[in-house]
Amino acid sequence: GVAIILAAVLAYPLLHRLEREKLVTSEWKKAPNGKERKYYALTRRGRTSLARARTAWSTEAALIGKILLGGDQEQPGRNPA
């Protein structure tokens, strides 16, 4: 349906950009059904970029959590540092 079309419209330009930036590689292979499919894999540079993005996201999410909870209050489900 619409969700699949939207995912394709968003995913493929993003994958092409990541490929241009050498964050992913792609390769055409036969799928189990016999059709050719393009498979993507992270490069070493892509894995490094992903690790940095995860760290940044974690830091930003923690900060937003503190703001939403009103300061230095302990977040539910998290152990105090």
Side-chain angles (χ1 to χ4, degrees):
V2 174
I4 293 172
I5 293 169
L6 184 58
V9 167
L10 297 174
Y12 292 112
L14 175 60
L15 286 167
H16 293 148
R17 182 176 62 90
L18 294 173
E19 197 169 14
R20 280 193 310 273
E21 294 175 5
K22 308 286 190 226
L23 299 175
V24 299
T25 58
S26 66
E27 181 179 0
W28 286 96
K29 294 182 183 179
K30 278 198 179 196
N33 66 6
K35 291 185 179 182
E36 288 281 319
R37 301 261 192 237
K38 196 170 191 180
Y39 290 85
Y40 292 87
L42 284 172
T43 61
R44 182 180 304 216
R45 183 175 173 181
R47 286 189 294 275
T48 300
S49 180
L50 177 59
R52 287 184 183 142
R54 282 181 172 163
T55 299
W57 175 257
S58 179
T59 301
E60 292 167 12
L63 178 60
I64 291 169
K66 282 185 178 183
I67 291 168
L68 293 176
L69 292 172
D72 291 330
Q73 297 175 3
E74 191 178 314
Q75 293 183 21
R78 303 200 99 205
N79 294 328

